[in-house]
């Protein structure tokens, strides 16, 4: 009995190969997420009718009737695919064109249903395909395979069944080749045996895998440069790829899995040996995190979330300078002029103040004050000796803006902060406030960018720091947050006394370059309730966007158990890993 397998019977290399082990399970899992439950609620559908109409109108030029027919045909096929499904995309011989093939398991993995299906397309599916295509599906012979041909999105789509699967492809050669491999039972150049799978397999094994996508970045780069057609453009593109280091990207995979109440998303980007360029400079400046036990006594037990990164900016800047001088020697003189101008105008020496910035672990946490607040306190924690050169640099920059370093007593500790001139904040932000006519003739994008830049400067001038004992320092843009945190440096109420949560952080931080963990979740629902419950002008503003808030249900009906989440970034010489997880809240 023939049994089609996308992994074994589709050829490699493909630009993209995506597969789901069970379409039914993936649908159910996605429907169970917060986004899925919101999307399925009738109140949300009704409330968003106006917004959907606006989006459809905006996309009318992009989403043509032919594109809608193609989506309809594929949708009918996938609706019947209770088992697995896969799609592969390949470069076509014609320029600026790709071919693809979809394989949908109609048998749900059952040998009996596979045998019953044979190589004929079910009559009910034929009718649905013709209805979705808006035209009669024509019979077509593809090799020795009986197929249907329908016109969709300006191309001919060929559909056939073999080995319990329905295959739909834009290429008769691809369809015939896949069917022949199924009859042979295997192929030497399969997806499963290709370079991409071998490169990615060991990094992306997760429990409960529901969806996987693999992208051959080497093939994609070759296709994009070939499609340019112009030799000069192609040369410039290659130079840009080498300069940035993106020419060293070889593969990418995205895997989504569900296990019980846990969900996990992993992304892996493979790198070729000897990858250089800007990417190598960034890699050199990102280091592995240490055990969270070191900082645990200074982080409150009830922190909402914790994020950490360990970087070496000086090393990164030195590598970047060397790379620029090596790949473009003509810019060396310009760099020297830039560095000299920077030192003369700001007093900041690139060699003495920036290249010497050593490794630092920066940890950020947020905590809701006991008295409550609209926004939680946000603080950064760092070792005092690692922070010192960075703080000295901040002092120099603040002095340029007219701010002086000063300090006050805060519960027996010195709270050091920048004392900016009284008129500085208004001079920074005043001209850009909505009620001020200055700059009204500027474009909105430029105005927003200028506002963001000036706001960032104002936030920088709000920086303060306070000693956290044991060689650690707390930093924040809120003096009130620093005073509160310093008064609560009690080891008995710290993360060090929560072994369960500390173990979770240890798991998240181990081997990571950067990581974050949230405790308790609920932020999406908090924003949902806050916006809808604001009253005043909020409902009117939502209606102006096409959203009718009166139909939206309260967030509580979507609230399940408390959940926690984590994000982990790991970098090694052969690739970059990003791992995102969501799991039920721990009980400390």
């Amino acid at each position: 009995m023939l049994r089609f397998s996308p992994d074994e019977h589709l050829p490699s290399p493909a630009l993209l190969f995506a597969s789901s082990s069970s379409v039914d399970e993936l649908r159910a899992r996605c429907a169970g997420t917060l986004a899925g439950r919101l999307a399925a609620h009738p109140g949300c559908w009704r409330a968003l009718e106006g917004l959907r109409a606006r989006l459809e109108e905006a996309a009318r030029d992009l989403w043509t009737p032919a594109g809608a027919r193609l989506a309809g045909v594929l949708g009918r096929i996938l609706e019947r695919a209770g088992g697995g499904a896969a799609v592969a995309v390949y470069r076509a011989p014609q320029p600026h064109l790709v071919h693809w093939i979809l394989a949908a398991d109609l048998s749900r993995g059952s040998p009996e249903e596979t045998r019953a299906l044979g190589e004929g397309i079910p009559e009910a599916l034929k009718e649905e395909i013709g209805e979705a295509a808006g035209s009669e599906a024509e019979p077509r012979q593809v090799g020795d395979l009986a197929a249907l041909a329908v016109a969709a999105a300006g191309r001919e789509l060929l559909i056939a069944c073999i080995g319990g699967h329905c295959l739909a492809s834009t290429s008769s050669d691809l369809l015939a080749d896949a069917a022949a491999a199924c009859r042979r039972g295997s192929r030497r150049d399969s997806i499963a045996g290709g370079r991409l799978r071998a490169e990615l397999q060991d990094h992306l094994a997760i429990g409960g895998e529901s969806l996987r996508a693999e992208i051959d970045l080497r093939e994609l780069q070759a296709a994009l440069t070939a499609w340019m057609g112009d030799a000069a453009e192609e040369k410039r593109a290659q130079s840009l790829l080498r300069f940035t280091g993106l020419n060293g990207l070889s593969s990418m995979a995205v895997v989504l899995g569900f296990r019980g109440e846990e969900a996990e998303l992993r992304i892996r980007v493979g790198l070729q040996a000897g990858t250089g360029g800007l990417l190598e400079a960034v890699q050199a400046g990102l280091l592995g995190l240490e055990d969270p036990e070191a900082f645990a006594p200074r982080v409150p037990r009830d922190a909402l979330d914790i994020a950490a990164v360990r970087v070496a900016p000086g090393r990164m800047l030195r590598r970047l300078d060397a790379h620029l001088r090596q790949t473009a020697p003509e810019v060396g003189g310009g760099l020297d002029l830039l560095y000299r101008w920077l030192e003369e105008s700001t007093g900041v020496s690139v060699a003495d103040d920036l290249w010497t910035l050593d490794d630092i672990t920066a940890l950020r946490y947020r905590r809701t004050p006991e008295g409550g607040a609209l926004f939680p306190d946000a603080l950064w924690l760092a070792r005092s000796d690692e922070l010192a050169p960075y703080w000295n640099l901040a002092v120099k920059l603040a002095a340029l803006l007219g701010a002086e370093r000063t300090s006050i007593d805060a519960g027996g500790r010195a709270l050091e902060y920048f004392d900016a001139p009284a008129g500085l904040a208004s001079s920074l932000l005043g001209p850009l406030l909505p009620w001020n006519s200055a700059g009204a003739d500027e474009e909105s994008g430029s105005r927003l960018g200028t506002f963001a830049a000036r706001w960032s400067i104002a936030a920088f001038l709000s920086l303060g720091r306070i000693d956290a004992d044991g060689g650690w320092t707390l930093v924040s843009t809120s003096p009130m947050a620093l005073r509160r945190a310093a008064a609560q440096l009690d080891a008995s109420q710290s993360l060090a006394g929560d072994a369960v949560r500390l173990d979770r952080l240890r798991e998240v931080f181990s081997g990571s370059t950067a990581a974050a963990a949230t405790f308790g979740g609920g932020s999406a629902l908090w924003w949902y309730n806050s916006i809808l419950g604001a009253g005043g002008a909020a409902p009117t503003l939502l209606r102006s966007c096409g959203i009718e808030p009166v139909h939206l249900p309260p967030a509580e009906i979507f609230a399940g158990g408390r959940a926690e989440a984590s994000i982990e970034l790991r970098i090694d010489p052969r690739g970059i890993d990003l791992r995102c997880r969501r799991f039920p809240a721990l009980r400390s």
Side-chain angles (χ1 to χ4, degrees), residues 75-394:
R76 297 298 176 88
I77 294 173
L78 288 173
E79 281 175 9
R80 290 180 167 270
V87 63
V89 181
Y90 299 89
R91 291 174 64 180
Q94 305 91 330
H96 307 99
L97 198 64
V98 296
H99 282 312
W100 53 265
I101 183 168
L102 170 73
D105 185 1
L106 304 185
S107 69
R108 288 174 166 79
S110 164
E112 292 76 16
E113 290 196 38
T114 300
R115 192 178 295 108
L117 282 166
E119 294 188 12
I121 301 174
E123 289 300 322
L125 181 57
K126 284 184 183 180
E127 294 178 6
E128 291 177 6
I129 289 172
E131 180 185 338
S135 61
E136 189 78 21
E138 299 179 2
R140 187 68 53 83
Q141 197 68 24
V142 179
D144 57 357
L145 194 64
L148 288 179
V150 297
R155 301 177 69 179
E156 187 176 67
L157 183 65
L158 299 167
I159 303 167
C161 282
I162 187 171
H165 282 63
C166 180
L167 306 184
S169 179
T170 56
S171 166
S172 58
D173 292 339
L174 192 55
L175 186 62
D177 181 67
C182 179
R183 292 193 176 100
R184 288 194 307 268
S186 65
R187 67 183 307 147
R188 293 172 60 186
D189 61 339
S190 68
I191 295 287
R195 173 192 65 82
L196 199 63
R197 182 63 57 85
E199 189 173 305
L200 296 167
Q201 187 63 39
D202 293 341
H203 300 279
L204 291 170
I206 65 174
E209 179 183 315
S210 292
L211 181 67
R212 172 187 287 248
E214 304 168 21
I215 304 171
D216 192 325
L217 296 179
R218 288 190 201 174
E219 279 289 304
L220 186 59
Q221 286 183 27
L224 292 175
T225 52
W227 289 341
M228 289 179 179
D230 183 87
E233 287 291 331
E234 184 176 339
K235 187 176 180 180
R236 279 194 289 269
Q238 293 287 2
S239 297
L240 179 62
L241 290 172
R242 283 193 299 271
F243 176 75
T244 58
L246 296 180
N247 65 323
L249 302 181
S250 60
S251 58
M252 180 178 178
V254 180
V255 181
L256 175 66
F258 299 92
R259 187 172 51 250
E261 295 182 68
E262 297 184 14
E264 182 175 352
L265 173 70
R266 295 190 70 174
I267 300 174
R268 169 77 178 183
V269 177
L271 302 175
Q272 300 178 49
T275 297
L278 300 182
L279 186 58
E280 188 273 338
V282 173
Q283 275 186 286
L286 295 173
L287 312 173
L289 292 172
E290 57 191 301
D291 192 300
E293 192 170 357
F295 58 74
R298 289 157 190 88
V299 176
R301 187 171 182 167
D302 57 355
L304 299 173
D305 49 51
I306 297 173
V309 62
R310 183 163 182 79
V311 294
R315 186 184 310 174
M316 195 182 299
L317 292 171
R318 290 195 302 272
R319 293 284 184 94
L320 178 59
D321 178 87
H323 171 64
L324 288 171
R325 294 176 188 274
Q326 181 180 1
T327 56
E330 66 277 8
V331 307
L335 286 176
D336 293 334
L337 286 174
L338 175 64
Y339 297 163
R340 195 176 308 120
W341 170 83
L342 184 65
E343 184 169 4
E344 290 173 355
S345 58
T346 68
V348 175
S349 166
V350 171
D352 297 334
D353 295 321
L354 299 182
W355 286 357
T356 57
L357 292 173
D358 211 344
D359 310 355
I360 183 171
T361 297
L363 180 134
R364 179 183 183 270
Y365 70 85
R366 296 186 309 145
R367 178 181 182 274
T368 301
E370 292 179 6
L374 179 60
F375 299 107
D377 289 344
L379 299 107
W380 289 87
L381 180 68
R383 282 192 169 86
S384 303
D385 56 343
E386 292 181 349
L387 179 65
Y390 296 88
W391 187 258
N392 292 337
L393 180 61

